[in-house]
mmCIF file of all heavy atoms in Angstrom:
data_model
loop_
_atom_site.group_PDB
_atom_site.id
_atom_site.type_symbol
_atom_site.label_atom_id
_atom_site.label_comp_id
_atom_site.label_asym_id
_atom_site.label_seq_id
_atom_site.Cartn_x
_atom_site.Cartn_y
_atom_site.Cartn_z
ATOM 1 N N SER B 133 -37.158 27.182 -23.344
ATOM 2 C CA SER B 133 -37.605 27.180 -24.711
ATOM 3 C C SER B 133 -38.574 28.246 -24.990
ATOM 4 O O SER B 133 -38.898 28.443 -26.197
ATOM 5 C CB SER B 133 -38.356 25.762 -24.889
ATOM 6 O OG SER B 133 -39.508 25.772 -23.938
ATOM 7 N N GLU B 134 -39.009 29.076 -24.019
ATOM 8 C CA GLU B 134 -39.691 30.225 -24.225
ATOM 9 C C GLU B 134 -38.957 31.285 -24.967
ATOM 10 O O GLU B 134 -37.714 31.388 -24.747
ATOM 11 C CB GLU B 134 -40.299 30.843 -22.901
ATOM 12 C CG GLU B 134 -41.228 29.944 -22.256
ATOM 13 C CD GLU B 134 -41.676 30.512 -20.924
ATOM 14 O OE1 GLU B 134 -41.479 31.696 -20.588
ATOM 15 O OE2 GLU B 134 -42.227 29.702 -20.150
ATOM 16 N N ASP B 135 -39.533 32.075 -25.760
ATOM 17 C CA ASP B 135 -38.928 33.068 -26.632
ATOM 18 C C ASP B 135 -38.673 34.326 -25.839
ATOM 19 O O ASP B 135 -39.431 35.273 -26.111
ATOM 20 C CB ASP B 135 -39.521 33.258 -27.936
ATOM 21 C CG ASP B 135 -38.797 34.279 -28.790
ATOM 22 O OD1 ASP B 135 -37.563 34.311 -28.612
ATOM 23 O OD2 ASP B 135 -39.383 34.829 -29.792
ATOM 24 N N LYS B 136 -37.891 34.394 -24.780
ATOM 25 C CA LYS B 136 -37.637 35.584 -24.052
ATOM 26 C C LYS B 136 -36.330 35.594 -23.227
ATOM 27 O O LYS B 136 -35.734 34.461 -23.158
ATOM 28 C CB LYS B 136 -38.773 35.746 -23.051
ATOM 29 C CG LYS B 136 -38.910 34.800 -21.938
ATOM 30 C CD LYS B 136 -40.006 35.048 -20.989
ATOM 31 C CE LYS B 136 -39.851 36.262 -20.081
ATOM 32 N NZ LYS B 136 -40.533 36.167 -18.819
ATOM 33 N N LYS B 137 -35.860 36.717 -22.857
ATOM 34 C CA LYS B 137 -34.624 36.726 -22.073
ATOM 35 C C LYS B 137 -34.980 36.532 -20.624
ATOM 36 O O LYS B 137 -35.781 37.249 -20.055
ATOM 37 C CB LYS B 137 -33.989 38.199 -22.173
ATOM 38 C CG LYS B 137 -33.514 38.352 -23.719
ATOM 39 C CD LYS B 137 -32.505 37.469 -24.167
ATOM 40 C CE LYS B 137 -32.051 37.950 -25.608
ATOM 41 N NZ LYS B 137 -31.072 37.056 -26.152
ATOM 42 N N LEU B 138 -34.441 35.574 -20.016
ATOM 43 C CA LEU B 138 -34.935 35.181 -18.653
ATOM 44 C C LEU B 138 -34.162 35.997 -17.598
ATOM 45 O O LEU B 138 -33.049 36.217 -17.620
ATOM 46 C CB LEU B 138 -34.595 33.628 -18.459
ATOM 47 C CG LEU B 138 -35.115 32.536 -19.477
ATOM 48 C CD1 LEU B 138 -34.833 31.181 -18.932
ATOM 49 C CD2 LEU B 138 -36.558 32.898 -19.692
ATOM 50 N N LEU B 139 -34.975 36.352 -16.618
ATOM 51 C CA LEU B 139 -34.360 37.035 -15.459
ATOM 52 C C LEU B 139 -34.436 35.963 -14.296
ATOM 53 O O LEU B 139 -35.470 35.401 -14.018
ATOM 54 C CB LEU B 139 -35.210 38.290 -14.989
ATOM 55 C CG LEU B 139 -34.798 38.856 -13.658
ATOM 56 C CD1 LEU B 139 -33.400 39.253 -13.609
ATOM 57 C CD2 LEU B 139 -35.757 39.993 -13.235
ATOM 58 N N SER B 140 -33.286 35.705 -13.784
ATOM 59 C CA SER B 140 -33.242 34.747 -12.687
ATOM 60 C C SER B 140 -32.707 35.525 -11.475
ATOM 61 O O SER B 140 -31.767 36.409 -11.574
ATOM 62 C CB SER B 140 -32.292 33.550 -13.067
ATOM 63 O OG SER B 140 -32.316 32.670 -12.047
ATOM 64 N N ILE B 141 -33.159 35.197 -10.244
ATOM 65 C CA ILE B 141 -32.683 35.872 -9.060
ATOM 66 C C ILE B 141 -32.128 34.894 -8.122
ATOM 67 O O ILE B 141 -32.706 33.760 -7.892
ATOM 68 C CB ILE B 141 -33.872 36.533 -8.347
ATOM 69 C CG1 ILE B 141 -34.421 37.714 -9.197
ATOM 70 C CG2 ILE B 141 -33.559 37.077 -6.946
ATOM 71 C CD1 ILE B 141 -33.526 38.993 -9.332
ATOM 72 N N TYR B 142 -31.011 35.250 -7.476
ATOM 73 C CA TYR B 142 -30.403 34.510 -6.493
ATOM 74 C C TYR B 142 -30.669 35.140 -5.116
ATOM 75 O O TYR B 142 -30.567 36.414 -4.868
ATOM 76 C CB TYR B 142 -28.825 34.345 -6.540
ATOM 77 C CG TYR B 142 -28.152 33.837 -5.315
ATOM 78 C CD1 TYR B 142 -27.985 32.387 -5.201
ATOM 79 C CD2 TYR B 142 -27.808 34.673 -4.197
ATOM 80 C CE1 TYR B 142 -27.384 31.946 -3.997
ATOM 81 C CE2 TYR B 142 -27.224 34.192 -3.045
ATOM 82 C CZ TYR B 142 -27.000 32.813 -3.026
ATOM 83 O OH TYR B 142 -26.421 32.306 -1.827
ATOM 84 N N PHE B 143 -31.093 34.387 -3.996
ATOM 85 C CA PHE B 143 -31.129 34.935 -2.703
ATOM 86 C C PHE B 143 -30.742 33.903 -1.695
ATOM 87 O O PHE B 143 -30.754 32.669 -2.038
ATOM 88 C CB PHE B 143 -32.532 35.556 -2.301
ATOM 89 C CG PHE B 143 -33.502 34.413 -2.021
ATOM 90 C CD1 PHE B 143 -33.884 34.018 -0.789
ATOM 91 C CD2 PHE B 143 -34.075 33.771 -3.139
ATOM 92 C CE1 PHE B 143 -34.824 33.030 -0.556
ATOM 93 C CE2 PHE B 143 -35.182 32.808 -2.798
ATOM 94 C CZ PHE B 143 -35.419 32.467 -1.538
ATOM 95 N N THR B 144 -30.152 34.352 -0.553
ATOM 96 C CA THR B 144 -29.712 33.457 0.387
ATOM 97 C C THR B 144 -30.880 32.991 1.334
ATOM 98 O O THR B 144 -31.696 33.891 1.933
ATOM 99 C CB THR B 144 -28.660 34.053 1.284
ATOM 100 O OG1 THR B 144 -27.692 34.523 0.489
ATOM 101 C CG2 THR B 144 -27.981 33.103 2.310
ATOM 102 N N ALA B 145 -31.201 31.737 1.444
ATOM 103 C CA ALA B 145 -32.308 31.243 2.327
ATOM 104 C C ALA B 145 -32.020 31.589 3.785
ATOM 105 O O ALA B 145 -30.954 31.397 4.243
ATOM 106 C CB ALA B 145 -32.466 29.811 2.132
ATOM 107 N N GLY B 146 -33.076 32.163 4.471
ATOM 108 C CA GLY B 146 -32.960 32.495 5.868
ATOM 109 C C GLY B 146 -32.498 33.948 6.120
ATOM 110 O O GLY B 146 -32.141 34.358 7.129
ATOM 111 N N TYR B 147 -32.513 34.688 5.027
ATOM 112 C CA TYR B 147 -32.078 36.047 5.092
ATOM 113 C C TYR B 147 -33.036 36.946 4.339
ATOM 114 O O TYR B 147 -33.549 36.588 3.169
ATOM 115 C CB TYR B 147 -30.694 36.260 4.457
ATOM 116 C CG TYR B 147 -30.236 37.685 4.408
ATOM 117 C CD1 TYR B 147 -29.569 38.162 5.623
ATOM 118 C CD2 TYR B 147 -30.378 38.494 3.496
ATOM 119 C CE1 TYR B 147 -29.101 39.501 5.806
ATOM 120 C CE2 TYR B 147 -29.953 39.923 3.549
ATOM 121 C CZ TYR B 147 -29.223 40.325 4.662
ATOM 122 O OH TYR B 147 -28.905 41.624 4.772
ATOM 123 N N PRO B 148 -33.406 38.130 4.757
ATOM 124 C CA PRO B 148 -33.031 38.752 5.983
ATOM 125 C C PRO B 148 -33.603 38.086 7.249
ATOM 126 O O PRO B 148 -32.933 38.063 8.331
ATOM 127 C CB PRO B 148 -33.705 40.280 5.910
ATOM 128 C CG PRO B 148 -34.209 40.283 4.475
ATOM 129 C CD PRO B 148 -34.310 38.995 3.927
ATOM 130 N N GLN B 149 -34.815 37.590 7.160
ATOM 131 C CA GLN B 149 -35.376 36.812 8.364
ATOM 132 C C GLN B 149 -35.416 35.254 8.025
ATOM 133 O O GLN B 149 -35.654 34.894 6.875
ATOM 134 C CB GLN B 149 -36.840 37.267 8.568
ATOM 135 C CG GLN B 149 -36.993 38.874 8.837
ATOM 136 C CD GLN B 149 -36.164 39.303 9.973
ATOM 137 O OE1 GLN B 149 -36.201 38.675 11.099
ATOM 138 N NE2 GLN B 149 -35.569 40.506 9.939
ATOM 139 N N LEU B 150 -35.336 34.500 9.084
ATOM 140 C CA LEU B 150 -35.271 33.030 8.874
ATOM 141 C C LEU B 150 -36.448 32.526 8.090
ATOM 142 O O LEU B 150 -36.297 31.692 7.209
ATOM 143 C CB LEU B 150 -35.360 32.390 10.321
ATOM 144 C CG LEU B 150 -35.100 30.849 10.344
ATOM 145 C CD1 LEU B 150 -33.966 30.463 9.696
ATOM 146 C CD2 LEU B 150 -35.306 30.402 11.700
ATOM 147 N N GLU B 151 -37.697 33.081 8.256
ATOM 148 C CA GLU B 151 -38.890 32.483 7.652
ATOM 149 C C GLU B 151 -39.282 33.217 6.379
ATOM 150 O O GLU B 151 -40.403 33.169 5.942
ATOM 151 C CB GLU B 151 -40.030 32.602 8.657
ATOM 152 C CG GLU B 151 -39.803 31.727 10.032
ATOM 153 C CD GLU B 151 -39.682 30.204 9.740
ATOM 154 O OE1 GLU B 151 -40.132 29.710 8.580
ATOM 155 O OE2 GLU B 151 -39.091 29.548 10.514
ATOM 156 N N ASP B 152 -38.417 33.940 5.772
ATOM 157 C CA ASP B 152 -38.818 34.742 4.584
ATOM 158 C C ASP B 152 -38.763 33.868 3.284
ATOM 159 O O ASP B 152 -39.351 34.383 2.214
ATOM 160 C CB ASP B 152 -37.771 35.912 4.325
ATOM 161 C CG ASP B 152 -37.948 37.072 5.250
ATOM 162 O OD1 ASP B 152 -39.048 37.067 5.830
ATOM 163 O OD2 ASP B 152 -37.102 37.899 5.338
ATOM 164 N N THR B 153 -38.190 32.717 3.299
ATOM 165 C CA THR B 153 -37.967 31.980 2.099
ATOM 166 C C THR B 153 -39.247 31.858 1.088
ATOM 167 O O THR B 153 -39.140 32.279 -0.042
ATOM 168 C CB THR B 153 -37.566 30.466 2.370
ATOM 169 O OG1 THR B 153 -36.564 30.539 3.429
ATOM 170 C CG2 THR B 153 -36.935 29.835 1.147
ATOM 171 N N VAL B 154 -40.405 31.353 1.682
ATOM 172 C CA VAL B 154 -41.547 31.185 0.749
ATOM 173 C C VAL B 154 -42.077 32.508 0.328
ATOM 174 O O VAL B 154 -42.457 32.614 -0.886
ATOM 175 C CB VAL B 154 -42.605 30.342 1.544
ATOM 176 C CG1 VAL B 154 -43.879 30.282 0.784
ATOM 177 C CG2 VAL B 154 -42.077 28.947 1.859
ATOM 178 N N GLU B 155 -42.152 33.487 1.163
ATOM 179 C CA GLU B 155 -42.726 34.772 0.676
ATOM 180 C C GLU B 155 -41.788 35.453 -0.412
ATOM 181 O O GLU B 155 -42.341 35.993 -1.319
ATOM 182 C CB GLU B 155 -42.750 35.684 2.073
ATOM 183 C CG GLU B 155 -43.842 36.776 1.844
ATOM 184 C CD GLU B 155 -43.840 37.626 3.095
ATOM 185 O OE1 GLU B 155 -43.557 37.178 4.272
ATOM 186 O OE2 GLU B 155 -44.326 38.768 2.855
ATOM 187 N N ILE B 156 -40.424 35.302 -0.233
ATOM 188 C CA ILE B 156 -39.697 35.857 -1.271
ATOM 189 C C ILE B 156 -39.882 35.093 -2.565
ATOM 190 O O ILE B 156 -40.027 35.787 -3.654
ATOM 191 C CB ILE B 156 -38.085 35.674 -0.904
ATOM 192 C CG1 ILE B 156 -37.754 36.718 0.242
ATOM 193 C CG2 ILE B 156 -37.157 36.095 -2.048
ATOM 194 C CD1 ILE B 156 -36.434 36.555 0.881
ATOM 195 N N LEU B 157 -39.989 33.766 -2.524
ATOM 196 C CA LEU B 157 -40.241 32.998 -3.838
ATOM 197 C C LEU B 157 -41.602 33.496 -4.428
ATOM 198 O O LEU B 157 -41.578 33.689 -5.672
ATOM 199 C CB LEU B 157 -40.239 31.546 -3.517
ATOM 200 C CG LEU B 157 -38.868 30.921 -3.127
ATOM 201 C CD1 LEU B 157 -38.963 29.480 -2.604
ATOM 202 C CD2 LEU B 157 -37.920 30.887 -4.492
ATOM 203 N N GLU B 158 -42.552 33.494 -3.579
ATOM 204 C CA GLU B 158 -43.917 34.056 -4.210
ATOM 205 C C GLU B 158 -43.907 35.330 -4.736
ATOM 206 O O GLU B 158 -44.392 35.569 -5.922
ATOM 207 C CB GLU B 158 -44.998 33.962 -3.039
ATOM 208 C CG GLU B 158 -45.441 32.539 -2.688
ATOM 209 C CD GLU B 158 -46.380 32.535 -1.484
ATOM 210 O OE1 GLU B 158 -46.312 33.422 -0.588
ATOM 211 O OE2 GLU B 158 -47.290 31.696 -1.522
ATOM 212 N N SER B 159 -43.200 36.190 -4.080
ATOM 213 C CA SER B 159 -43.127 37.633 -4.597
ATOM 214 C C SER B 159 -42.265 37.738 -5.938
ATOM 215 O O SER B 159 -42.690 38.474 -6.771
ATOM 216 C CB SER B 159 -42.582 38.555 -3.559
ATOM 217 O OG SER B 159 -42.321 39.756 -3.985
ATOM 218 N N LEU B 160 -41.214 36.934 -5.976
ATOM 219 C CA LEU B 160 -40.496 37.013 -7.231
ATOM 220 C C LEU B 160 -41.324 36.355 -8.316
ATOM 221 O O LEU B 160 -41.315 37.039 -9.457
ATOM 222 C CB LEU B 160 -39.198 35.951 -7.030
ATOM 223 C CG LEU B 160 -38.163 36.623 -6.127
ATOM 224 C CD1 LEU B 160 -36.902 35.535 -5.868
ATOM 225 C CD2 LEU B 160 -37.449 37.887 -6.627
ATOM 226 N N GLU B 161 -42.080 35.258 -8.097
ATOM 227 C CA GLU B 161 -42.860 34.716 -9.310
ATOM 228 C C GLU B 161 -43.904 35.838 -9.645
ATOM 229 O O GLU B 161 -44.133 36.113 -10.868
ATOM 230 C CB GLU B 161 -43.538 33.486 -8.893
ATOM 231 C CG GLU B 161 -44.381 32.999 -10.028
ATOM 232 C CD GLU B 161 -44.805 31.531 -9.842
ATOM 233 O OE1 GLU B 161 -45.698 31.158 -9.022
ATOM 234 O OE2 GLU B 161 -44.158 30.688 -10.469
ATOM 235 N N GLU B 162 -44.653 36.364 -8.726
ATOM 236 C CA GLU B 162 -45.751 37.371 -8.962
ATOM 237 C C GLU B 162 -45.185 38.447 -9.719
ATOM 238 O O GLU B 162 -45.912 39.106 -10.551
ATOM 239 C CB GLU B 162 -46.124 37.943 -7.560
ATOM 240 C CG GLU B 162 -47.353 37.311 -7.060
ATOM 241 C CD GLU B 162 -47.632 37.776 -5.532
ATOM 242 O OE1 GLU B 162 -47.399 38.987 -5.344
ATOM 243 O OE2 GLU B 162 -47.884 36.975 -4.772
ATOM 244 N N ASN B 163 -43.899 38.900 -9.537
ATOM 245 C CA ASN B 163 -43.394 40.043 -10.210
ATOM 246 C C ASN B 163 -42.674 39.814 -11.427
ATOM 247 O O ASN B 163 -42.066 40.645 -12.155
ATOM 248 C CB ASN B 163 -42.437 40.920 -9.304
ATOM 249 C CG ASN B 163 -43.286 41.589 -8.249
ATOM 250 O OD1 ASN B 163 -44.022 42.467 -8.498
ATOM 251 N ND2 ASN B 163 -43.173 41.123 -6.927
ATOM 252 N N GLY B 164 -42.839 38.593 -11.931
ATOM 253 C CA GLY B 164 -42.334 38.179 -13.273
ATOM 254 C C GLY B 164 -40.908 37.655 -13.343
ATOM 255 O O GLY B 164 -40.321 37.538 -14.547
ATOM 256 N N VAL B 165 -40.336 37.295 -12.364
ATOM 257 C CA VAL B 165 -39.085 36.572 -12.430
ATOM 258 C C VAL B 165 -39.239 35.234 -12.969
ATOM 259 O O VAL B 165 -40.172 34.502 -12.735
ATOM 260 C CB VAL B 165 -38.376 36.575 -10.989
ATOM 261 C CG1 VAL B 165 -37.252 35.618 -10.971
ATOM 262 C CG2 VAL B 165 -37.975 37.870 -10.531
ATOM 263 N N ASP B 166 -38.283 34.728 -13.762
ATOM 264 C CA ASP B 166 -38.469 33.563 -14.557
ATOM 265 C C ASP B 166 -37.823 32.263 -13.884
ATOM 266 O O ASP B 166 -38.356 31.135 -14.118
ATOM 267 C CB ASP B 166 -37.835 33.594 -15.897
ATOM 268 C CG ASP B 166 -38.346 34.816 -16.675
ATOM 269 O OD1 ASP B 166 -39.565 34.590 -17.120
ATOM 270 O OD2 ASP B 166 -37.643 35.717 -16.971
ATOM 271 N N MET B 167 -36.974 32.542 -12.956
ATOM 272 C CA MET B 167 -36.199 31.351 -12.321
ATOM 273 C C MET B 167 -35.586 31.778 -11.056
ATOM 274 O O MET B 167 -35.280 33.135 -11.045
ATOM 275 C CB MET B 167 -35.189 30.746 -13.355
ATOM 276 C CG MET B 167 -34.581 29.505 -13.023
ATOM 277 S SD MET B 167 -33.695 28.690 -14.417
ATOM 278 C CE MET B 167 -32.323 29.754 -14.694
ATOM 279 N N VAL B 168 -35.338 30.878 -10.074
ATOM 280 C CA VAL B 168 -34.749 31.473 -8.847
ATOM 281 C C VAL B 168 -33.647 30.379 -8.400
ATOM 282 O O VAL B 168 -33.954 29.190 -8.523
ATOM 283 C CB VAL B 168 -35.809 31.483 -7.663
ATOM 284 C CG1 VAL B 168 -35.163 32.045 -6.407
ATOM 285 C CG2 VAL B 168 -36.958 32.499 -8.136
ATOM 286 N N GLU B 169 -32.565 30.947 -8.007
ATOM 287 C CA GLU B 169 -31.526 30.222 -7.213
ATOM 288 C C GLU B 169 -31.736 30.384 -5.755
ATOM 289 O O GLU B 169 -31.421 31.569 -5.302
ATOM 290 C CB GLU B 169 -30.111 30.568 -7.673
ATOM 291 C CG GLU B 169 -29.735 30.050 -8.940
ATOM 292 C CD GLU B 169 -30.041 30.926 -10.246
ATOM 293 O OE1 GLU B 169 -29.936 32.146 -9.975
ATOM 294 O OE2 GLU B 169 -30.543 30.335 -11.235
ATOM 295 N N ILE B 170 -32.044 29.460 -5.088
ATOM 296 C CA ILE B 170 -32.189 29.505 -3.574
ATOM 297 C C ILE B 170 -30.808 29.132 -2.964
ATOM 298 O O ILE B 170 -30.327 28.005 -3.170
ATOM 299 C CB ILE B 170 -33.352 28.544 -3.073
ATOM 300 C CG1 ILE B 170 -34.599 28.793 -3.816
ATOM 301 C CG2 ILE B 170 -33.464 28.655 -1.590
ATOM 302 C CD1 ILE B 170 -35.600 27.608 -3.663
ATOM 303 N N GLY B 171 -30.236 30.100 -2.331
ATOM 304 C CA GLY B 171 -28.934 29.814 -1.760
ATOM 305 C C GLY B 171 -28.979 29.054 -0.400
ATOM 306 O O GLY B 171 -29.646 29.526 0.550
ATOM 307 N N LEU B 172 -28.303 27.917 -0.334
ATOM 308 C CA LEU B 172 -28.228 27.242 0.883
ATOM 309 C C LEU B 172 -26.977 27.759 1.659
ATOM 310 O O LEU B 172 -25.894 27.624 1.045
ATOM 311 C CB LEU B 172 -28.095 25.694 0.657
ATOM 312 C CG LEU B 172 -27.853 24.797 1.750
ATOM 313 C CD1 LEU B 172 -28.931 24.809 2.760
ATOM 314 C CD2 LEU B 172 -27.567 23.388 1.383
ATOM 315 N N PRO B 173 -27.123 28.503 2.650
ATOM 316 C CA PRO B 173 -25.936 29.259 3.223
ATOM 317 C C PRO B 173 -24.867 28.198 3.702
ATOM 318 O O PRO B 173 -25.094 27.158 4.230
ATOM 319 C CB PRO B 173 -26.443 30.049 4.366
ATOM 320 C CG PRO B 173 -27.757 29.409 4.750
ATOM 321 C CD PRO B 173 -28.325 28.761 3.415
ATOM 322 N N PHE B 174 -23.623 28.731 3.485
ATOM 323 C CA PHE B 174 -22.447 27.958 4.023
ATOM 324 C C PHE B 174 -21.492 28.918 4.739
ATOM 325 O O PHE B 174 -21.322 29.968 4.487
ATOM 326 C CB PHE B 174 -21.812 27.352 2.714
ATOM 327 C CG PHE B 174 -20.412 26.495 3.016
ATOM 328 C CD1 PHE B 174 -20.603 25.419 3.932
ATOM 329 C CD2 PHE B 174 -19.272 26.745 2.323
ATOM 330 C CE1 PHE B 174 -19.440 24.635 4.219
ATOM 331 C CE2 PHE B 174 -18.190 25.864 2.577
ATOM 332 C CZ PHE B 174 -18.177 24.880 3.572
ATOM 333 N N SER B 175 -20.751 28.212 5.760
ATOM 334 C CA SER B 175 -19.880 29.087 6.551
ATOM 335 C C SER B 175 -18.705 29.633 5.830
ATOM 336 O O SER B 175 -18.152 30.650 6.168
ATOM 337 C CB SER B 175 -19.412 28.138 7.707
ATOM 338 O OG SER B 175 -18.784 27.003 7.147
ATOM 339 N N ASP B 176 -18.266 29.008 4.689
ATOM 340 C CA ASP B 176 -17.088 29.478 4.086
ATOM 341 C C ASP B 176 -17.233 29.568 2.589
ATOM 342 O O ASP B 176 -16.687 28.699 1.759
ATOM 343 C CB ASP B 176 -15.956 28.449 4.398
ATOM 344 C CG ASP B 176 -15.650 28.438 5.782
ATOM 345 O OD1 ASP B 176 -16.314 27.956 6.709
ATOM 346 O OD2 ASP B 176 -14.466 29.063 6.119
ATOM 347 N N PRO B 177 -18.004 30.499 2.104
ATOM 348 C CA PRO B 177 -18.334 30.665 0.704
ATOM 349 C C PRO B 177 -17.222 31.229 -0.141
ATOM 350 O O PRO B 177 -17.121 32.346 -0.345
ATOM 351 C CB PRO B 177 -19.624 31.576 0.643
ATOM 352 C CG PRO B 177 -19.501 32.380 1.874
ATOM 353 C CD PRO B 177 -18.685 31.530 2.938
#
Side-chain angles (χ1 to χ4, degrees):
Chain B
S133 67
E134 293 175 13
D135 184 25
K136 65 178 292 203
K137 300 294 185 183
L138 306 186
L139 171 62
S140 187
I141 294 287
Y142 167 92
F143 74 98
T144 307
Y147 182 84
Q149 305 294 325
L150 184 61
E151 299 294 341
D152 285 343
T153 314
V154 172
E155 207 178 332
I156 291 176
L157 287 170
E158 285 178 324
S159 175
L160 289 173
E161 177 165 83
E162 266 169 40
N163 287 294
V165 167
D166 298 294
M167 186 163 73
V168 183
E169 281 89 39
I170 304 166
L172 175 62
F174 181 51
S175 55
D176 294 75

